Amino acid sequence: MSDAVYDPWSPEFVADPYPVFERLREERPVFFHEPTGQWVISRYEDVDALLRDRRLGRSYLHIGSHEEFGRRPEADFLKPFWDLVRAGMLDVEPPTHTRLRRLVSKAFTARMVEGLRPTIRRLATELAGALADGGGGDLLAEIAEPLPVNVIAEMLGVPPEDRYLLRPWSAGICGMYELNPPEEARRTAVRAAVEFSDYLRTLARSRRDEPRDDLITALAQVVDEGDRLTEDELVGTCVLLLNAGHEATVNATGNGWWSLFRNPGELERLRAEPELVPTAVEELLRYDTPAPMFERWVLEDITVAGVDIPRGAEVALQFASANRDPEVFAEPDRLDLSRDPNPHITFGLGIHYCLGAPLARIELTESFGALLRAAPDLRLSAEPQWKPGYVLRGLEALHVER
Ligand code: HEM
């Protein structure tokens, strides 16, 4: 099989990567992909093991320089972007990661998240009701985006009149996570990073002077054995929570409804048995994984399924492929809304396991539940198009009617 089959820039691949992954898992579960310079890993067993393996990391800068890892130094103009990103927990490794995650977890608690359920339910019901009353519309713009954006903004304490700024800043920053981002995308990411940090620095300072009952205040005040977040870490953490706190949830909602419309038998079953919503959400997260790929740097030589991968290499862990591996999931290409157990890895594994998974699960169960109730006759009104990016894989729009 040629490498050309795995083409993360091709619209056909983005629309349906699963047949390619089926062949990769069987024929070349570990291979070097020249155009991205990454080792592509497609089997569940290997993705699972590598996510837990401390010989890999989301960064290598805690143990060596770019040059020592055979990489070019970062361009100077990118500094504001990297400074912001590396002030949050996602792109650092222990001991810094351990410290940041512990501090943030003390403020962003399970109790706080569970306490948000009534607010999330009310918002989901309002949004679903408006879409249903209007006879339909763009499910993505009217439900999938506003629900998670408003929930995370409300939780942190971003005033309602400023929330329109969040999507463009987040999209600008996330553009850097696509494969080989072009110069223009990198400049956009830097601009977004500068504007977003300036905005949050001002907001954080005002909360420090006048504390309120919100997460920014809690993060500014959190103390763990005398340790606390610096102002840069506080800003980096807020940006991370605001971005990670909605990007994948938006796509999980859009991709999930698109999967339901393509599987009308399962949609009918869900309408008849709404108690299936919790397992349905897990299955939709497995079946069309909203964040299909995450990368790791190889910090020491490793061997994966008999293939040697050297220190300094980068691996592309294909979550979407692992979630369709027949070694783990019976009939993996079938959408089965009552699938149980369902050990999908959509929220990751190991030390970077998604901090917001409980919140995402509440948002998704409430939003699917609310729309199923409000519009039991909802149907697709136009074939959706995929956005070009593979790393944040989502639809441009999802037009529905009743
Ligand atoms: C369906 C929705 C979501 C999906 C699929 C998702 C997926 C993920 C995955 C796979 C990771 C680990 C990345 C890696 O290992 O490289 C991650 C990390 C993270 N996620 Fe989520 N996420 C979702 C929603 C959320 C929400 C709602 C929040 C909210 C606050 C959030 C906050 C985070 C944070 C802070 C991290 C970094 C954790 C760390 O580095 O220790 N995510 N997410």
Side-chain angles (χ1 to χ4, degrees):
M1 195 186 80
S2 82
D3 293 2
V5 179
Y6 171 79
D7 179 359
W9 292 287
S10 114
E12 292 75 30
F13 178 81
V14 172
D16 185 11
Y18 299 105
V20 173
F21 284 139
E22 188 179 344
R23 291 184 58 191
L24 284 178
R25 283 191 307 270
E26 282 167 15
E27 297 169 23
R28 300 182 74 192
V30 178
F31 80 97
F32 185 71
H33 181 248
E34 201 74 50
T36 50
Q38 295 178 328
W39 291 83
V40 175
I41 316 285
S42 50
R43 283 188 187 156
Y44 186 102
E45 184 187 353
D46 298 327
V47 174
D48 174 294
L50 294 181
L51 281 171
R52 301 171 196 269
D53 192 329
R54 299 295 301 283
R55 293 173 302 169
L56 295 95
R58 283 197 52 111
S59 171
Y60 48 74
L61 293 173
H62 56 302
I63 55 169
S65 65
H66 295 297
E67 292 75 5
E68 280 162 337
F69 269 79
R71 305 277 149 181
R72 278 205 302 269
E74 282 153 11
D76 285 345
F77 81 93
L78 290 174
K79 193 173 180 314
F81 172 85
W82 286 118
D83 284 351
L84 174 67
V85 162
R86 293 191 187 119
M89 75 182 84
L90 180 59
D91 281 294
V92 291
E93 289 294 304
T96 310
H97 173 267
T98 321
R99 197 189 130 244
L100 289 177
R101 185 153 173 143
R102 195 183 303 129
L103 279 163
V104 174
S105 305
K106 281 194 86 169
F108 181 47
T109 60
R111 237 183 86 216
M112 166 180 208
V113 169
E114 198 46 51
L116 281 171
R117 192 185 279 275
T119 313
I120 296 173
R121 180 166 300 170
R122 185 175 35 77
L123 188 57
T125 308
E126 277 169 23
L127 293 169
L131 184 84
D133 293 347
D138 177 5
L139 195 158
L140 214 77
E142 294 182 40
I143 295 182
E145 283 184 2
L147 183 70
V149 170
N150 280 298
V151 167
I152 195 74
E154 179 75 29
M155 192 170 95
L156 272 149
V158 175
E161 64 275 17
D162 296 341
R163 290 181 192 168
Y164 74 98
L165 294 161
L166 300 178
R167 278 293 278 169
W169 280 337
S170 177
I173 288 173
C174 289
M176 273 290 271
Y177 289 102
E178 289 299 336
L179 292 158
N180 304 1
E183 171 86 15
E184 194 195 322
R186 298 192 300 155
R187 297 220 174 258
T188 304
V190 173
R191 245 189 337 267
V194 170
E195 290 176 17
F196 208 170
S197 357
D198 286 350
Y199 173 81
L200 279 165
R201 203 172 295 276
T202 308
L203 194 62
R205 284 182 186 165
S206 80
R207 289 299 188 277
R208 208 180 41 206
D209 298 340
E210 272 178 68
R212 288 201 199 162
D213 183 18
D214 59 30
L215 185 55
I216 300 187
T217 307
L219 287 166
Q221 292 176 342
V222 75
V223 182
D224 182 53
E225 293 175 5
D227 186 21
R228 52 195 321 153
L229 294 173
T230 64
E231 188 176 276
D232 286 344
E233 289 167 348
L234 175 60
V235 170
T237 297
C238 291
V239 168
L240 173 62
L241 289 173
L242 285 164
N243 292 356
H246 80 269
E247 287 288 348
T249 320
V250 172
N251 290 335
T253 313
N255 300 4
W257 273 101
W258 173 222
S259 298
L260 289 174
F261 290 129
R262 278 176 298 158
N263 291 273
E266 285 299 280
L267 177 53
E268 276 320 302
R269 189 174 160 219
L270 188 58
R271 283 177 174 144
E273 299 171 58
E275 63 280 7
L276 285 181
V277 166
T279 53
V281 164
E282 299 304 316
E283 176 67 344
L284 294 168
L285 286 168
R286 178 196 75 85
Y287 184 77
D288 207 10
T289 312
M293 182 189 104
F294 285 87
E295 294 140 336
R296 290 290 187 273
W297 294 104
V298 177
L299 309 177
E300 288 174 38
D301 295 352
I302 53 171
T303 304
V304 185
V307 180
D308 293 331
I309 305 183
R311 178 181 199 257
E314 193 182 23
V315 294
L317 306 176
Q318 304 295 338
F319 284 31
S321 176
N323 280 340
R324 296 273 191 122
D325 192 330
E327 292 291 322
V328 178
F329 303 97
E331 294 187 77
D333 296 327
R334 191 164 74 84
L335 182 74
D336 171 5
L337 298 183
S338 56
R339 191 181 288 271
D340 187 29
N342 189 343
H344 68 73
I345 53 165
T346 304
F347 290 115
L349 283 169
I351 64 166
H352 290 286
Y353 179 81
C354 179
L355 192 67
L359 177 61
R361 287 188 158 116
I362 295 179
E363 291 180 339
L364 293 169
T365 47
E366 293 301 334
S367 102
F368 278 94
L371 192 53
L372 285 163
R373 281 192 300 277
D377 48 355
L378 202 67
R379 56 180 188 269
L380 202 63
S381 61
E383 186 83 359
Q385 302 295 316
W386 290 92
K387 287 189 185 168
Y390 171 59
V391 176
L392 283 167
R393 181 169 166 274
L395 300 170
E396 296 276 9
L398 187 62
H399 292 287
V400 293
E401 62 188 11
R402 50 189 310 220

Coordinates of all heavy atoms in Angstrom, one line a residue, residues 126-162:
E126 N -33.5 25.9 26.0 CA -33.8 27.2 25.3 C -33.3 27.1 23.9 O -34.1 27.5 22.9 CB -33.0 28.3 26.0 CG -33.7 28.9 27.2 CD -32.8 29.9 27.9 OE1 -31.9 30.4 27.4 OE2 -33.1 30.0 29.1
L127 N -32.1 26.7 23.6 CA -31.5 26.6 22.3 C -32.3 25.6 21.4 O -32.6 25.9 20.3 CB -30.0 26.3 22.3 CG -29.1 27.3 23.0 CD1 -27.7 26.7 23.2 CD2 -29.0 28.6 22.2
A128 N -32.5 24.5 22.0 CA -33.3 23.4 21.2 C -34.7 23.9 20.9 O -35.2 23.7 19.8 CB -33.3 22.1 22.0
G129 N -35.3 24.6 21.8 CA -36.7 25.1 21.6 C -36.7 26.1 20.5 O -37.6 26.1 19.7
A130 N -35.7 27.0 20.5 CA -35.7 28.1 19.5 C -35.5 27.5 18.1 O -36.1 27.9 17.1 CB -34.5 29.1 19.8
L131 N -34.6 26.5 18.0 CA -34.4 25.8 16.7 C -35.7 25.1 16.2 O -36.1 25.2 15.1 CB -33.2 24.8 16.8 CG -32.9 24.1 15.5 CD1 -31.9 25.0 14.7 CD2 -32.2 22.7 15.7
A132 N -36.3 24.4 17.2 CA -37.5 23.7 16.8 C -38.7 24.7 16.4 O -39.3 24.5 15.4 CB -38.0 22.8 18.0
D133 N -38.8 25.7 17.2 CA -39.9 26.7 16.9 C -39.7 27.4 15.6 O -40.6 27.8 14.9 CB -40.0 27.8 18.0 CG -40.4 27.2 19.3 OD1 -40.9 26.0 19.3 OD2 -40.3 27.9 20.4
G134 N -38.4 27.6 15.2 CA -38.1 28.2 13.9 C -38.3 27.2 12.7 O -38.0 27.6 11.6
G135 N -38.6 26.0 13.0 CA -38.8 25.0 11.9 C -37.5 24.4 11.4 O -37.5 23.7 10.5
G136 N -36.4 24.7 12.1 CA -35.1 24.2 11.7 C -34.1 25.3 11.6 O -34.3 26.4 12.1
G137 N -33.0 25.0 11.0 CA -31.9 26.0 10.8 C -30.6 25.2 10.8 O -30.5 24.0 10.5
D138 N -29.5 26.0 11.1 CA -28.2 25.3 11.2 C -27.9 24.9 12.6 O -27.6 25.7 13.5 CB -27.1 26.4 10.7 CG -25.7 25.8 10.8 OD1 -25.5 24.6 11.1 OD2 -24.8 26.6 10.6
L139 N -28.0 23.6 12.8 CA -27.8 23.0 14.1 C -26.4 23.3 14.7 O -26.3 23.5 15.9 CB -27.9 21.5 14.0 CG -28.1 20.6 15.2 CD1 -28.8 19.3 14.8 CD2 -26.9 20.3 16.0
L140 N -25.4 23.5 13.9 CA -24.1 23.8 14.3 C -24.1 25.2 14.9 O -23.6 25.4 16.0 CB -23.1 23.7 13.2 CG -21.8 23.2 13.6 CD1 -21.8 21.7 13.8 CD2 -20.7 23.5 12.6
A141 N -24.6 26.2 14.2 CA -24.5 27.6 14.6 C -25.5 27.9 15.8 O -25.3 28.7 16.6 CB -24.8 28.5 13.5
E142 N -26.6 27.1 15.8 CA -27.7 27.4 16.8 C -27.6 26.6 18.1 O -28.2 27.0 19.1 CB -29.1 27.3 16.1 CG -29.2 28.3 15.0 CD -30.6 28.3 14.3 OE1 -31.6 28.1 15.0 OE2 -30.6 28.5 13.1
I143 N -27.0 25.5 18.0 CA -26.9 24.6 19.3 C -25.4 24.2 19.6 O -24.9 24.5 20.6 CB -27.8 23.4 19.2 CG1 -29.2 23.9 19.1 CG2 -27.5 22.5 20.4 CD1 -30.2 22.7 19.1
A144 N -24.8 23.6 18.6 CA -23.5 22.9 18.8 C -22.5 24.0 19.3 O -21.7 23.7 20.2 CB -23.0 22.2 17.6
E145 N -22.5 25.2 18.7 CA -21.5 26.2 19.1 C -21.9 27.0 20.4 O -21.2 27.0 21.3 CB -21.2 27.2 18.0 CG -20.4 26.7 16.9 CD -20.0 27.7 15.8 OE1 -20.5 28.9 15.9 OE2 -19.4 27.3 14.9
P146 N -23.1 27.6 20.4 CA -23.4 28.4 21.5 C -23.5 27.7 22.9 O -23.1 28.3 23.9 CB -24.8 29.0 21.2 CG -25.3 28.2 20.0 CD -24.1 27.6 19.3
L147 N -23.9 26.4 22.9 CA -23.9 25.8 24.2 C -22.6 25.7 24.9 O -22.4 26.3 26.0 CB -24.6 24.4 24.1 CG -24.8 23.7 25.4 CD1 -25.8 24.4 26.3 CD2 -25.2 22.3 25.3
P148 N -21.6 25.0 24.3 CA -20.3 24.9 25.0 C -19.6 26.2 25.2 O -18.9 26.5 26.2 CB -19.5 24.0 24.1 CG -20.2 23.7 22.9 CD -21.6 24.2 23.1
V149 N -19.7 27.2 24.2 CA -19.0 28.5 24.3 C -19.6 29.2 25.5 O -18.9 29.7 26.4 CB -19.2 29.3 23.0 CG1 -18.7 30.7 23.3 CG2 -18.4 28.7 21.9
N150 N -20.9 29.2 25.7 CA -21.5 30.0 26.8 C -21.3 29.3 28.1 O -21.1 30.0 29.1 CB -23.0 30.2 26.5 CG -23.2 31.3 25.6 OD1 -22.9 32.5 25.9 ND2 -23.8 31.1 24.4
V151 N -21.3 28.0 28.1 CA -21.1 27.3 29.4 C -19.7 27.5 29.9 O -19.5 27.9 31.1 CB -21.3 25.7 29.2 CG1 -20.8 25.0 30.4 CG2 -22.8 25.4 29.0
I152 N -18.7 27.4 29.1 CA -17.3 27.6 29.5 C -17.0 29.1 29.9 O -16.3 29.4 30.8 CB -16.2 27.0 28.5 CG1 -14.9 26.8 29.2 CG2 -16.1 27.8 27.3 CD1 -14.7 25.7 30.2
A153 N -17.6 30.0 29.1 CA -17.4 31.4 29.3 C -18.1 31.8 30.7 O -17.6 32.5 31.5 CB -18.0 32.2 28.2
E154 N -19.3 31.2 30.9 CA -20.0 31.5 32.1 C -19.2 31.0 33.3 O -19.1 31.7 34.3 CB -21.4 30.8 32.0 CG -22.3 30.9 33.2 CD -23.0 32.3 33.2 OE1 -23.2 32.9 32.2 OE2 -23.2 32.7 34.4
M155 N -18.7 29.8 33.1 CA -18.0 29.2 34.2 C -16.7 30.0 34.6 O -16.5 30.2 35.8 CB -17.6 27.8 33.8 CG -17.1 26.9 34.9 SD -16.9 25.3 34.2 CE -15.2 25.3 33.8
L156 N -16.0 30.4 33.6 CA -14.8 31.2 33.9 C -15.1 32.6 34.3 O -14.4 33.2 35.1 CB -13.9 31.2 32.7 CG -12.9 30.1 32.6 CD1 -12.6 29.7 31.2 CD2 -11.7 30.3 33.4
G157 N -16.2 33.2 33.8 CA -16.6 34.5 34.2 C -16.3 35.5 33.1 O -16.1 36.7 33.4
V158 N -16.4 35.1 31.8 CA -16.2 36.0 30.7 C -17.6 36.7 30.5 O -18.6 36.0 30.3 CB -15.8 35.3 29.4 CG1 -15.8 36.3 28.3 CG2 -14.4 34.7 29.6
P159 N -17.7 38.1 30.6 CA -19.0 38.7 30.4 C -19.7 38.4 29.1 O -19.0 38.3 28.1 CB -18.6 40.2 30.5 CG -17.2 40.3 31.0 CD -16.6 39.0 30.7
P160 N -21.0 38.3 29.1 CA -21.8 37.9 27.9 C -21.4 38.7 26.7 O -21.3 38.2 25.6 CB -23.2 38.0 28.3 CG -23.2 37.9 29.8 CD -21.9 38.4 30.3
E161 N -21.2 40.1 26.9 CA -21.0 40.9 25.8 C -19.7 40.7 25.1 O -19.5 41.2 24.0 CB -21.2 42.4 26.2 CG -20.2 43.0 27.2 CD -20.6 42.7 28.6 OE1 -21.5 41.8 28.9 OE2 -20.1 43.3 29.5
D162 N -18.8 40.0 25.7 CA -17.4 39.8 25.1 C -17.3 38.4 24.5 O -16.3 38.1 23.9 CB -16.3 39.9 26.2 CG -16.2 41.2 26.8 OD1 -16.7 42.2 26.1 OD2 -15.6 41.4 27.9

